Amino acid sequence: HEVEELREVHAHERLGISDQQMSQWLADAGLVTLMSEKLDPAPGDRGTEKLIVSLWLAGRPKAFAADSHTPRKLERSPS
């Protein structure tokens, strides 16, 4: 994205990171992407610049080889 205000007001170093860039950084660190998710803005959010939040979960390749260590999406328990 190109929302310069985030750099000026919130001291963001980078204005967005692509999945490809993050995958490369993780690979360079000897990690693999285990899961990634994009969180779109809520439909009622106001403002002209709506950003997507991206989350990545990474780990060492051998540490997650067994099925019992495969990450799963967390589910909220009923209240």
Side-chain angles (χ1 to χ4, degrees), residues 1-65:
H1 65 82
E2 297 179 13
V3 184
E4 269 306 316
E5 179 183 1
L6 293 176
R7 189 185 311 269
E8 298 161 5
V9 176
H10 299 287
H12 281 206
E13 181 71 22
R14 301 189 184 284
L15 297 180
I17 299 170
S18 70
D19 287 333
Q20 294 81 12
Q21 181 64 63
M22 181 58 73
S23 293
Q24 185 61 55
W25 287 341
L26 293 173
D28 291 348
L31 302 172
V32 294
T33 301
L34 301 172
M35 181 186 299
S36 65
E37 188 168 345
K38 293 191 183 301
L39 306 175
D40 292 320
D45 280 352
R46 292 192 239 179
T48 58
E49 301 293 344
K50 295 181 182 181
L51 300 176
I52 296 172
V53 174
S54 297
L55 304 171
W56 293 275
L57 175 64
R60 293 184 188 108
K62 291 180 183 179
F64 293 96

